[in-house]
Amino acid sequence: TGFDLIIRNGTVVTASDTMLCDVGIRNGKVVALADKLGTAAREIDATGLLIMPGGIDSHVHLAQPTSDGSVMADDFESGTRSAACGGNTTVIPFSLQERGTSLLKSVEEHHQRAKGKCYIDYALHAIITDPTPQALEKELPQVVQGGVTSVKIFMTYQDMALNDAEIFKVMEATRREDALTMVHAENFDAIQQMTERLERAGQTGPRGHAESRPIVVEREATHRAISFAELVDVPLFVVHVSGGDVIEQIEWAKRRGLPIYAETCPQYLTLTAEDLDNANMEGSKYVCSPPPRDKANQKACWDALARDVFSTFTSDHCPFIYGSDTGKKKAGADASFKYVPNGIPGVETRLPILFSKGVSEGRISLNQFVALSATNHAKVYGMYPQKGTIAIGSDADIAIWDPHKRVTISQSMLNHNCDYTPYEGMELKGYPVTVISNGEVVAENGRPVGSAGKGKFILRGKSSLVPSRHPFEA
Ligand code: URP
Ligand code: ZN
Ligand code: ZN
Ligand code: ZN
């Protein structure tokens, strides 16, 4: 007895089990799972509803600086608000080390941007763009010590792409520090050559973005990154996989026994390159990297989700306002695709899309949904079982879903700071109705409850994908 909150009569779903029971919460933690719990200060009746671990979105971009004058639409306040309303209780944005700057300082600065602004808990990944000895040998150990235990590297983008030697060096450093390496795998030089060819042909509209980086560009870089990970002997996490040829590489590596893991995102399940095809700049609303492919690749991503090839499902939320001169049209309404900032909003729609198209339409099981939306993120990024499950002692981060609720996605219902959604008009079945972070309701029926500021930084431990090495193995 004496709970702060009891959620009654719902169906509790974890990555492994489905059970009918009450959930008792005290001091922000789950403290009881049982039939007919006693009394509480507050009760929620979840009859007919699903009680699932709050979503963890382990790939989002919030308030991240850019080098081209564009401005990300969401900061930590609007981004975590939008995340909470879409069923999430933890996000992991990226701190960006810009070339010529300190890695450690970039992480500290991103902490400052988050401070006091979050509706839900957050952790951080570190992007390394300048792998100097100082960054890798002096600063990375401190960054990892501070709970930022994953490093993302880019194989494309001006001012961000690492060359092969640099990729190798970062992997050696992450191996030393027991950090997880994440990679954005696209071949920068190939994209540049393709871009010049398209410009010569006058094909500079948004569709050119997809034409400039066909899947072979992603496949080649993925294979190269996998090969380096094999040489250096580190696990590797390939982010935002867009289709079949890349999935083939991931499965090839897994078959060889290599510790290679990957994620995919809603845009690769529901959008195609044709969405970029527009006479005016409307197509820029769908410009992201890698670009959406075609129906066959959508199916390849769904099939790979169903057979557990992907460890996680993330949004890659990276919003730029369409009607702003720091957003999608920053270089003018008829500028070449190469000036359109890359990224689309999606932190709020990620889970409703996966639930509706995945669970409601029978492509994945409810337990797979929980694994892909929360549990595996917590394991991969060193937060389990504090996060990512409903168990005694876990943080009371819970999303209560109505599996029958019908929602049509529209910009007007969303809580991000972007001015459009690429999923406008999509009809869904199933939506989160009550979202609880550390025992307190933070969103109800798609709207925020209370104010920002209670979300805290989660100091992460070592990824479950990083092996424990014996001392003599160095
Ligand atoms: O286009 C995208 N995905 N923008 C976000 C940055 C990244 O590459 O993940
Ligand atoms: Zn990326
Ligand atoms: Zn991203
Ligand atoms: Zn060993």
Side-chain angles (χ1 to χ4, degrees), residues 59 61 152 154 157 184 240 288-289 316 318 342-343:
H59 186 157
H61 302 267
K152 185 182 181 192
F154 286 87
Y157 293 140
H184 176 134
H240 47 48
C288 59
S289 291
D316 193 9
C318 187
N342 286 198

Side-chain angles (χ1 to χ4, degrees), residues 98-233:
E98 292 176 279
R99 286 247 167 100
T101 70
S102 151
L103 172 65
L104 190 60
K105 215 168 137 233
S106 73
V107 174
E108 286 165 358
E109 283 171 0
H110 223 47
H111 271 298
Q112 289 309 315
R113 295 184 188 107
K115 208 170 185 175
K117 295 184 96 176
C118 296
Y119 280 84
I120 56 176
D121 290 345
Y122 75 99
L124 293 176
H125 305 289
I127 294 171
I128 295 183
T129 66
D130 202 353
T132 58
Q134 166 76 16
L136 297 184
E137 289 160 30
K138 299 267 177 4
E139 299 181 345
L140 183 60
Q142 295 177 65
V143 166
V144 171
Q145 196 67 37
V148 178
T149 57
S150 44
V151 166
K152 185 182 181 192
I153 56 174
F154 286 87
M155 296 170 81
T156 188
Y157 293 140
Q158 194 75 48
D159 303 324
M160 296 179 91
L162 301 190
N163 64 33
D164 288 356
E166 292 172 326
I167 294 169
F168 205 96
K169 287 192 176 109
V170 170
M171 287 180 175
E172 286 186 319
T174 54
R175 186 180 193 278
R176 227 169 22 237
E177 304 308 329
D178 280 346
L180 180 66
T181 313
M182 308 162 74
V183 65
H184 176 134
E186 285 185 300
N187 183 316
F188 181 59
D189 288 337
I191 292 167
Q192 274 197 314
Q193 296 309 305
M194 294 292 286
T195 299
E196 286 178 20
R197 190 198 278 181
L198 287 157
E199 284 177 334
R200 284 195 298 271
Q203 293 170 30
T204 58
R207 178 66 184 254
H209 174 77
E211 305 300 328
S212 71
R213 43 182 78 208
I215 199 162
V216 59
V217 162
E218 185 184 352
R219 187 194 70 201
E220 182 278 332
T222 301
H223 186 84
R224 187 156 33 104
I226 289 170
S227 303
F228 287 1
E230 181 177 1
L231 282 170
V232 180
D233 181 29

Side-chain angles (χ1 to χ4, degrees), residues 253-274:
K254 284 180 185 285
R255 271 200 307 280
R256 288 167 69 96
L258 297 172
I260 306 299
Y261 307 90
E263 67 180 20
T264 191
C265 316
Q267 46 272 40
Y268 307 117
L269 302 177
T270 60
L271 304 177
T272 69
E274 284 173 26

